Amino acid sequence: MRFDVITLLPGMFAALTEHGVVGRALTRQLWSLQCWNPRDYASDAYRTIDDRPFGGGPGMVMMAEPLQRTIDAVREAQRSLGTGRSNVIYLSPQGQQLTQAMTAGWAAGTGLTLLCGRYEGVDQRLLDASVDSEVSIGDFVVSGGELPAMLLIDAIVRQLPGTLNHQQSVLEDSFVQGLLDHPHYTRPESTTAGVVPPVLLSGHHLDIIRWRREQALAATARKRPDLLRNAQQCRLLSAADIDFLNRSGLGSVLN
């Protein structure tokens, strides 16, 4: 899978490419990254890529023309490699909020072009002409699109076959089945903070599966009842799930 990232700060992406499971996946060539600096496509000797906003106001706005030339260069590189044109995604607090389902869809594709804004944002004409979608990582503002882009890449790459030692880990992540993940425990069996639930030491596989499902339901009901209601609407809850919630006094969150 190929990611083309348009960014003024390509060095930031070393945090992603040189560390952790995503970095190891890059070494194994499960994905690739090419950073494109818009300053390389500026038209003046000062490599200008921003200017004052029309109408006044604070800050600077990234100019459309250097960004358009950068996108054109990305598309030409994609054509020469035979990878085909990838969708251009602008990382923006005004975009659709990123979800696990969105990353799963992209993980099944061949690549993305990610546009990282800076300053007050990007000239709207560039967004209208060349951006396929805008994506937000939450209802807050950060200094630029680089961190959101890295989060998006990480969320996608970890789903690629071969990235994780156990692909089952991806299937059991929070949100994959509409619920939050169940609690996890490891050795030793007893610490000053408490003990491991006996069912996990029992060796009874079906009992463990049932306990984990119930714990996931309870965690979702307490922390994200909106997810639980959505799971009910999407018919992801079984009769046994609803019975457990009612017996646990958590069924009211479905109403």
Side-chain angles (χ1 to χ4, degrees):
M1 185 168 198
R2 175 186 171 96
F3 293 94
D4 290 285
V5 180
I6 300 171
T7 171
L8 295 173
L9 300 172
M12 288 185 66
F13 287 82
L16 186 71
T17 60
E18 298 178 7
H19 305 280
V21 295
V22 175
R24 291 194 292 273
L26 181 65
T27 302
R28 296 201 296 271
Q29 299 182 337
L30 298 179
W31 66 287
S32 64
L33 172 69
Q34 178 68 49
C35 289
W36 304 78
N37 193 330
R39 292 193 186 279
D40 296 334
Y41 300 90
S43 58
D44 66 340
Y46 297 101
R47 306 176 77 204
T48 304
I49 49 78
D50 63 311
D51 208 332
R52 297 187 301 273
F54 281 120
M60 305 289 277
V61 177
M62 293 185 74
M63 301 162 64
E65 291 185 345
L67 290 175
Q68 185 59 64
R69 286 192 286 270
T70 309
I71 292 173
D72 291 342
V74 170
R75 289 174 175 166
E76 179 57 36
Q78 291 170 345
R79 280 193 294 269
S80 67
L81 293 171
T83 59
R85 178 191 182 281
S86 63
N87 282 352
V88 178
I89 295 176
Y90 175 46
L91 285 308
S92 163
Q94 297 186 26
Q96 180 183 0
Q97 190 155 320
L98 185 65
T99 66
Q100 185 74 13
M102 291 164 64
T103 64
W106 287 322
T110 59
L112 293 172
T113 300
L114 305 179
L115 172 58
C116 303
R118 282 267 148 184
Y119 315 123
E120 294 300 311
V122 171
D123 190 308
Q124 185 63 41
R125 291 169 293 185
L126 184 281
L127 302 181
D128 293 340
S130 296
V131 168
D132 296 295
S133 59
E134 298 185 31
V135 171
S136 168
I137 59 167
D139 292 339
F140 56 93
V141 178
V142 293
S143 299
E146 285 77 14
L147 289 174
M150 284 189 273
L151 287 170
L152 188 152
I153 293 172
D154 187 295
I156 293 173
V157 171
R158 70 184 308 278
Q159 298 181 64
L160 300 179
T163 296
L164 302 182
N165 291 332
H166 301 285
Q167 193 63 21
Q168 186 67 24
S169 297
V170 173
L171 302 178
E172 295 180 357
D173 280 339
S174 290
F175 309 112
V176 172
Q177 299 181 44
L179 304 176
L180 300 181
D181 198 4
H182 59 75
H184 295 270
Y185 298 85
T186 188
R187 292 163 180 74
E189 295 176 13
S190 177
T191 72
T192 55
V195 298
V196 175
V199 65
L200 298 179
L201 308 174
S202 68
H204 296 298
H205 187 59
L206 293 179
D207 288 349
I208 292 172
I209 291 175
R210 181 168 55 252
W211 181 86
R212 286 176 169 169
R213 177 69 177 184
E214 291 175 349
Q215 291 298 306
L217 289 164
T220 307
R222 291 194 301 269
K223 300 175 183 178
R224 290 291 304 275
D226 59 307
L227 290 178
L228 198 62
R229 289 190 289 270
N230 185 67
Q232 183 186 35
Q233 292 173 2
C234 295
R235 299 183 180 180
L236 298 176
L237 301 183
S238 67
D241 292 336
I242 295 174
D243 178 65
F244 166 76
L245 291 168
N246 289 331
R247 285 188 288 105
S248 302
L250 298 170
S252 59
V253 303
L254 297 175
N255 301 324

